[in-house]
């Protein structure tokens, strides 16, 4: 079923971008459909910047934002789209076509994609700069380089300046880093559905099930509640598999007495959640599991509590590393001098990754982590994860037996607010007592 008119915020985003880049031409090719074999394709998802600015989710399309020379300071939105084709649509589903591009997506002009190369020189005419990411789409790279070549060849006769190409990534990243209300709504929805999926997994897991059963259950909760797809490959890792940070096999039987680490996030209207929970496959945590679980949980909760405008992600990570170092020293899992361990990142033996990444349309979202050479200070509207962990690698046999093979990560998604932060994924249980109660 096709849409009749997309929300006005897509145009508001283009307005904001072009207000700060007047005179520029931006060119965004869509993602391409990837062939799996013969006429079977991998599931299609639109390129995030393209979707962020257009709301248009068909492949073989190009979005161009170009100056409107008849109205100084104004710009035009141009969409190149696939031709309507009743035979193709019978097989593959409806298309919007050039009329839909204008009527539904608010393009000022629209053309067939096959005319892109022919129309492009006109769109570049009179531009001051071109923003285009080279290397992402070889086919459009060739067309754009050819158009710029033609432009250069005629520069002497026309007196036009040569056009330089800039990467649009930073401008878009800066916009996407600060979530607008409609983006927070989508993230909230993704977070709520994802929290429900994790809670359901906690309730349903039993010794003897396979990891893939839990993956299927999580997928079902995502799709049943309106997520279109996963934001990244779901990790369902029983026991020692939880020590593999990006475990993907999800095909092993689940054993009583071991923990299950689930890292899964549903994508809702192009925004992804990213939650990890770790819980017993059987009824309760063992004493050793409980000790290290509580340590990771303490680090995670304190990190959330310290999140507010003005602090930095490295400060949050440093705090988590300190809490976990101190805890492991008192459990005897780390030995030696505290100051040396902190200075040499000794905790990385058990906590080898960073605590946070930005999130949004992409689970590892765009946004500069360093600005003017300094770690970026948090500001309201930023959304990121807090995800400390503790993992005993299978090769690490020096650790007491009761801790061997344990992998724990606890991950929530937070929105920075004026006063501090809001935990978007608070509905996913993480207190040991709450998890164990769910299983009774
Ligand atoms: N799910 C990937 C991550 O937590 O970063
Ligand atoms: Mn994450
Ligand atoms: Mn994750």
């Amino acid at each position: 079923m096709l849409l009749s008119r997309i929300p006005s915020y897509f145009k508001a985003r283009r307005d904001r971008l072009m207000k700060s880049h007047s005179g520029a031409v931006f060119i965004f090719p869509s993602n391409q459909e990837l062939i799996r074999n013969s006429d079977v394709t991998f599931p299609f998802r639109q390129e995030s910047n393209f979707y962020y600015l257009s709301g248009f989710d068909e492949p073989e399309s190009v979005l161009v934002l170009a100056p409107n020379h008849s109205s100084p300071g104004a710009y035009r939105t141009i969409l190149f789209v696939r031709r309507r084709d009743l035979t193709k649509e019978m097989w593959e589903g409806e298309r919007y076509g050039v009329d839909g591009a204008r009527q539904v997506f608010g393009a000022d002009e629209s053309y067939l994609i096959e005319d892109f190369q022919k129309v492009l020189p006109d769109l570049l005419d009179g531009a001051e700069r071109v923003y285009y990411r080279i290397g992402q789409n070889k086919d459009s790279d060739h067309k754009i380089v050819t158009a710029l070549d033609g432009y250069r060849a005629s520069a002497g006769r026309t007196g036009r300046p040569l056009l330089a190409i800039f990467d649009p990534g930073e401008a878009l990243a800066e916009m996407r880093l600060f979530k607008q209300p409609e983006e927070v709504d989508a993230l909230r929805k993704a977070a709520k559905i994802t929290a429900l999926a994790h809670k359901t997994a906690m309730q349903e897991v039993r010794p003897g099930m396979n990891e893939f059963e839990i993956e299927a259950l999580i997928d079902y909760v995502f799709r049943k509640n309106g997520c279109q797809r996963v934001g990244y490959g779901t990790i369902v890792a029983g026991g020692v598999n939880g020590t593999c940070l990006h475990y993907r096999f999800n095909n092993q039987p689940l054993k009583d007495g071991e923990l299950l680490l689930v890292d899964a996030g549903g994508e809702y209207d192009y925004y992804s959640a990213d939650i990890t929970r770790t819980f017993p496959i059987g009824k309760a945590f063992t004493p050793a599991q409980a000790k290290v679980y509580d340590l990771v949980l303490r680090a995670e909760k304190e990190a959330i509590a310290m999140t507010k405008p003005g602090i930095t992600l490295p400060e949050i990570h440093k705090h988590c590393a300190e809490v976990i170092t101190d805890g492991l020293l008192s459990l005897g899992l780390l030995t030696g001098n505290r100051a040396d361990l902190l200075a040499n990142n000794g905790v990385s033996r058990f906590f080898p990754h960073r605590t946070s990444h930005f999130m949004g349309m992409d689970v590892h979202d765009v946004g500069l982590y360093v600005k003017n050479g300094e770690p970026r200070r948090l500001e309201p509207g930023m959304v990121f994860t807090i995800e400390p962990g503790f993992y005993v690698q299978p090769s690490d046999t020096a650790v007491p037996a009761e801790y061997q093979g344990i992998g724990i990560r606890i991950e929530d998604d937070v929105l920075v607010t004026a006063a501090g932060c809001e935990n978007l994924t608070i509905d996913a249980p993480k207190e040991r007592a709450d998890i164990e109660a769910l299983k009774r």
Side-chain angles (χ1 to χ4, degrees), residues 232-233 235 245-246 263-264 274 276 357 363-364 385 387 409 411:
Y232 54 90
I235 296 171
L245 302 177
H246 286 168
D263 185 346
D274 183 5
T276 307
H357 56 80
V363 62
H364 294 167
T385 63
E387 49 177 311
R409 179 161 64 253
E411 175 174 34

Side-chain angles (χ1 to χ4, degrees), residues 268-428:
Y268 187 89
D269 281 356
Y270 277 83
Y271 288 81
S272 179
D274 183 5
I275 301 181
T276 307
R277 289 292 183 266
T278 311
F279 44 93
I281 290 164
K283 289 206 176 346
F285 289 83
T286 65
Q289 289 166 353
K291 281 181 202 154
V292 277
Y293 184 88
D294 286 352
L295 185 54
V296 176
L297 184 60
R298 188 187 331 146
E300 206 248 4
K301 284 164 55 174
E302 290 187 16
I304 294 175
M306 72 187 280
T307 296
K308 61 176 187 204
I311 72 157
T312 68
L313 295 181
E315 283 165 357
I316 292 174
H317 178 69
K318 183 162 170 274
H319 184 74
C320 285
E322 281 175 11
V323 171
I324 294 175
T325 301
D326 288 340
L328 296 180
L329 276 169
S330 60
L331 291 174
L333 287 166
L334 281 176
T335 51
N337 177 278
R338 178 179 189 267
D340 290 344
L341 285 168
L342 292 176
N344 302 324
N345 196 22
V347 77
S348 68
R349 173 175 159 198
F350 299 110
F351 174 29
H353 57 78
R354 309 290 295 181
T355 300
S356 301
H357 56 80
F358 294 132
M359 42 174 303
M361 297 186 80
D362 298 324
V363 62
H364 294 167
D365 209 24
V366 292
L368 293 180
Y369 288 81
V370 175
K371 219 173 168 196
N372 306 321
E374 300 276 331
R376 181 159 204 156
R377 298 203 173 275
L378 297 178
E379 293 176 57
M382 293 177 174
V383 177
F384 59 90
T385 63
I386 295 185
E387 49 177 311
F390 168 85
Y391 317 85
V392 181
Q393 291 307 317
S395 56
D396 195 346
T397 49
V399 171
E402 65 268 31
Y403 293 106
Q404 280 183 20
I406 291 182
I408 292 169
R409 179 161 64 253
I410 305 172
E411 175 174 34
D412 279 301
D413 306 338
V414 298
L415 164 71
V416 182
T417 59
C421 77
E422 177 188 334
N423 181 356
L424 301 175
T425 46
I426 191 119
D427 292 346

Side-chain angles (χ1 to χ4, degrees), residues 79-205:
L79 269 172
F80 292 85
V81 301
R82 297 180 302 181
R83 180 190 292 281
R84 294 214 58 183
D85 177 328
L86 290 182
T87 308
K88 285 228 159 79
E89 290 179 48
M90 177 176 80
W91 287 93
E92 297 165 7
E94 273 180 284
R95 301 172 170 189
Y96 285 99
V98 286
D99 292 337
R102 286 196 301 275
Q103 288 155 14
V104 180
F105 295 89
D108 300 303
E109 297 167 31
S110 58
Y111 301 96
L112 294 173
I113 187 68
E114 52 262 40
D115 292 333
F116 177 62
Q117 197 150 13
K118 190 171 81 198
V119 176
L120 184 60
D122 283 344
L123 300 179
L124 295 177
D125 199 25
E128 291 165 17
R129 293 177 310 286
V130 178
Y131 285 82
Y132 171 74
R133 172 155 292 179
I134 297 171
Q136 203 163 275
N137 181 326
K138 301 262 176 306
D139 181 45
S140 64
D141 282 1
H142 176 72
K143 289 175 180 155
I144 284 155
V145 169
T146 306
L148 288 174
D149 248 357
Y151 208 78
R152 196 158 41 227
S154 63
R157 278 181 283 114
T158 59
R160 295 180 302 205
L162 293 178
L163 279 173
I165 300 191
F166 296 83
D167 193 291
E170 190 173 336
L172 266 292
E174 204 55 30
M175 290 177 70
R176 282 172 50 190
L177 180 56
F178 297 94
K179 271 62 178 179
Q180 300 296 311
E182 73 278 1
E183 300 183 271
V184 173
D185 286 348
L187 280 164
R188 249 189 243 292
K189 191 89 193 180
K192 277 237 173 276
I193 296 168
T194 301
L196 176 64
H198 280 263
K199 196 170 166 185
T200 308
M202 288 172 198
Q203 281 166 327
E204 297 300 322
V205 68

